[in-house]
Structures are given as structure tokens and as C-alpha cells.
Amino acid sequence: MKIYINNKPTETAAETLDALAREMNLPNRGVAMALGTQMVQRNQWAETTLKEDDSVIIIKAACGG
């Protein structure tokens, strides 16, 4: 299905945020995701389903100043 990741159209087979994180090889720490305008806690990623044209924002923590 087609979803938008950080405003970029992306094809994915993932059905949940957790599956998307694994598909994208995201690290286990230092990553946050929002679906639409709502931040989703990591412990809810497995229950958070994706559908066609959803917008996902992925934020990766960075060190430095």
C-alpha cells in the first residue's frame, strides 16, 4: 500500500507501525513515530494499524548541540 513517510510517498507491506519500523530497520531506541498528528508510544506500535494514504512522521534523536 502507499503511505507517506515524512511527506514522501512510500510503498510498504507493513500493516502496523511496529512492522513498518522493522521493515525500515529503525533502531530500538531514539526513534519516535506519529500517525497523522498524533504521537504513538512505542508500546502501542504493534496495535497501531496503517491504511492507504496514512501519513507517518518518523523522528530520530540526534546528539550534539
Side-chain angles (χ1 to χ4, degrees):
M1 83 177 107
K2 181 184 75 175
I3 62 171
Y4 294 86
I5 299 176
N6 295 350
N7 296 319
K8 179 183 174 189
T10 305
E11 286 291 327
T12 182
E15 295 182 1
T16 64
L17 285 181
D18 188 58
L20 181 64
R22 284 183 277 128
E23 185 178 286
M24 297 183 67
N25 295 315
L26 296 178
N28 290 329
R29 299 172 67 91
V31 174
M33 284 204 262
L35 181 59
T37 60
Q38 292 289 327
M39 292 300 294
V40 180
Q41 293 182 11
R42 183 179 288 270
N43 63 359
Q44 296 176 336
W45 288 3
E47 298 94 42
T48 304
T49 57
L50 296 170
K51 63 182 184 316
E52 187 82 16
D53 293 324
D54 270 348
S55 177
V56 177
I57 303 297
I58 299 174
I59 303 166
K60 296 179 184 176
C63 296

